[in-house]
Amino acid sequence: MTLTSHEVAVSQLGSGHGIPLERITSLRFIKNNIIGNKTKKNLYIKLGILSRLQEIISVKDDKDSQLKIQAVIVLGSFAFGNEGNITALTNSGVVEPLLNSLNPSGDPKLIEASARTLNAIYASPKVSRQQLFQGNHLHVLVQLLDSYSSNVRQGQDVVMVHTAELVASILARCCETSDQQMQIASSGAIPLLMRLLASGVSKTQEAALGALAALVKDNSELARLIAQMRLEKGERPAPFILRLVRDKSPTMRLAAATCLTYLNRAGVIPDHYVDIMQTVLPVLVKMLLLTGPVQETAPKILAYLIWESENMQKAVCEMDAIPKLAQIISVMEEGDLMYGIVDQRDKLKENALLALAAISQMKEDCRKQVIEAKVLPYIVTAMSHPSVGVRAAACQCTRSLSRSMKNLRTSLVDAGIETPLFQLLSDDDPGVLSSATATLCNIVLDVSPMKKTIMERGIVAKFVHMIGYGDNVVRLNAVWAIKNLVFGAPSEVKETVMRQFGYHNLVALLNDGELAIQEQALNLVRNLACNNEQDINQVFNGMGSGQLLSIIEDKLTWDDQRLLEHALYVLVNIATGSEFHKQSVMKRPSILRSVLSLMTHESVAIRVATIWVIINLTWPDEKVSHSLHERVTVLRSMGVEDRLRSLNSDHDLDVRDRVKTALHHFVVDQQQHGQSGAAQ
């Protein structure tokens, strides 16, 4: 059987072929065949080339450095392929020998080639970074950064300069967790990155900015450390980086804007807030009109910068960012090749949607602009996109828009959000699932046709499934959505929901290990036991009045303001019910003592809630005047009336107004029953 030239080339790489020149020739033949050719790459992987390459670069003897260099270059070509190729590379065990090839005393060209290939491998988010933090690999990288960065200014060695940039890029790509950030910082890398930042060499500065940005992202400790450092001429980093935001190179502007964005979000450069507003924001918005990697990344950085900042969101709206983002999303059809390969198109669409979500997060005017930009149908379509990132970003958009006034939420329903949103409740990705349920939380607040439709489609059963999900954010949003579903709903709707949801599930959630879930479960009880006696009866019958009040009794002893407030408002609602409901509370002296104690709580909201409990328990009712008198007598004997009088001078107007109402009930009782109403 005749072997193809490709099979011959792979076979000649075996250790049995002792002539290095022949093996180098074969490697060059293979390299020339696979560069930019996915088909040939797949062919060579099937022929078992990766194990042969792994053997070559694993040899301890450095006398064949040219052979190793060519093998590493070929590995680099595979690393610049798709995710499947990178997975095949890591599975073949090449990462460890590549890290070993970074020996500072070795051939500089081998070090550069190895660093380039590792940098390409670590570009994949699926590759584990763990090996880099084992043994002395991180120490070796920092050694390289130290010895090679000193050559950057002199420009004596292009290979060394490029290696320093690659090492900085590798460090940037290996900062995925706080622990990894701290390990890199502890290794001594930060001062060396500062040296690269001040080098005056553009590509080197970009690499340094990338690494510094990765180190400070969501890490206020390192952000503060870096913001307070000095560059070689004694200047702080922030003003230096601000000048780079105005650089002629788009990639430099983006790298500088990214670093400043993360420093700003960490709250460590407050003196530069105006600079961020006047310089960084406009630069990022202008980048939306560019093409390629800069346009792809700019919306994501913009979204991160303005998230939870109403002023910045307003400013970006005034810069006409929304029409620019709408243009990106609306013209990016699947067959539109002007936006590059599929993965890049998906990432651009994802990031543009994230930016729209951030812009429309807080300002009603911004949400209105999104609707007027006629981008809503594209957002709804993106909710069914094959890319999980695009689906999640589209959900973030709908979540932000669903926070709007009722008429704009209606626009979402009219745009056909119902079907894709319901389908996303079965999505495998926790981020998508979380955003989808959060969107539903807002949409079901309206008494709209959609509320009835999604109930008919089995939404409650979906939520029951979600509360057993492994992700606590998904579980929380599911409880939140149920709470909103029954808010202001008729008694029959509440009954239908709880028949499917199950009071046993509600009891379990009231005792959940996550406080935020307990809080929303209490909120759910509050909404269920609201409006009329029938609703309160449903809850009493569903949970058992004894079990419900025992749970409330327990929550009132907790030192958590949110739990206390919601537990009190459950009591407020119960106390609006029938005589039986009121007496159920009165028969719980420990509950009454807790209410009395909380009347002087530091939180205004809690003080107001306790007074509402008293108001409702003492509400005048001629039908049960004797029972009312008994309740007032018990509360007066406990010192409630005296406590109310002490709150007459409370600094909060709402508290004083509620106190006035409650005291009036006690005064009326005393007028009707004379001294018999006095404390015994």
Side-chain angles (χ1 to χ4, degrees), residues 165-378:
E165 296 167 6
L166 289 167
V167 170
S169 182
I170 289 170
L171 293 177
R173 289 173 172 175
C174 293
C175 280
E176 293 185 320
T177 67
S178 174
D179 184 55
Q180 290 170 352
Q181 289 172 322
M182 300 311 291
Q183 285 189 64
I184 291 172
S186 299
S187 71
I190 292 177
L192 304 176
L193 292 169
M194 288 294 189
R195 184 196 292 173
L196 292 181
L197 179 61
S199 67
V201 180
S202 291
K203 288 300 179 185
T204 305
Q205 289 177 304
E206 287 179 29
L209 285 167
L212 290 169
L215 284 166
V216 302
K217 185 181 181 186
D218 300 324
N219 192 318
S220 56
E221 182 180 346
L222 290 185
R224 190 172 297 106
L225 171 70
I226 289 171
Q228 293 173 354
M229 292 181 74
R230 300 278 184 181
L231 297 172
E232 290 178 6
K233 295 183 180 179
E235 188 178 17
R236 300 280 189 197
F240 182 88
I241 299 171
L242 266 166
R243 290 198 296 277
L244 296 180
V245 173
R246 303 181 181 93
D247 192 87
K248 62 181 180 180
S249 164
T251 52
M252 176 71 87
R253 295 200 300 272
L254 179 60
T258 301
C259 197
L260 287 170
T261 291
Y262 296 158
L263 288 169
N264 180 72
R265 283 297 303 272
V268 298
I269 51 171
D271 293 345
H272 293 284
Y273 178 79
V274 174
D275 296 318
I276 299 292
M277 289 282 285
Q278 295 181 352
T279 302
V280 178
L281 273 183
V283 164
L284 286 170
V285 172
K286 287 176 183 176
M287 285 179 183
L288 301 177
L289 299 173
L290 301 179
T291 56
V294 171
Q295 186 196 38
E296 179 187 309
T297 306
K300 182 179 180 180
I301 304 306
L302 179 64
Y304 191 85
L305 177 59
I306 68 175
W307 191 255
E308 296 181 341
S309 172
E310 191 168 336
N311 287 339
M312 287 194 181
Q313 290 166 19
K314 181 175 182 290
V316 168
C317 277
E318 292 171 352
M319 294 174 194
D320 289 332
I322 289 174
K324 294 178 178 68
L325 291 164
Q327 173 75 3
I328 291 172
I329 295 166
S330 61
V331 304
M332 207 187 321
E333 301 297 338
E334 293 303 316
D336 192 348
L337 296 179
M338 67 178 286
Y339 286 96
I341 62 174
V342 172
D343 287 349
Q344 292 171 335
R345 284 208 310 272
D346 290 353
K347 185 56 70 173
L348 176 57
K349 179 178 282 190
E350 174 187 338
N351 292 344
L353 287 166
L354 286 175
L356 274 183
I359 294 172
S360 56
Q361 183 194 21
M362 303 177 81
K363 294 285 293 179
E364 192 70 8
D365 287 346
C366 296
R367 297 184 192 115
K368 189 177 179 183
Q369 278 193 40
V370 173
I371 302 297
E372 290 174 348
K374 302 188 186 308
V375 73
L376 198 48
Y378 299 101

Side-chain angles (χ1 to χ4, degrees), residues 93 148 216 313 356 418 538 633:
Y148 282 28
V216 302
Q313 290 166 19
L356 274 183
E418 180 188 321
Q538 282 184 18
T633 301

Side-chain angles (χ1 to χ4, degrees), residues 596-614:
L596 177 64
S597 173
L598 292 170
M599 288 173 74
T600 55
H601 195 277
E602 63 182 0
S603 163
V604 169
I606 288 177
R607 295 202 301 278
V608 169
T610 60
I611 300 165
W612 270 116
V613 173
I614 303 303

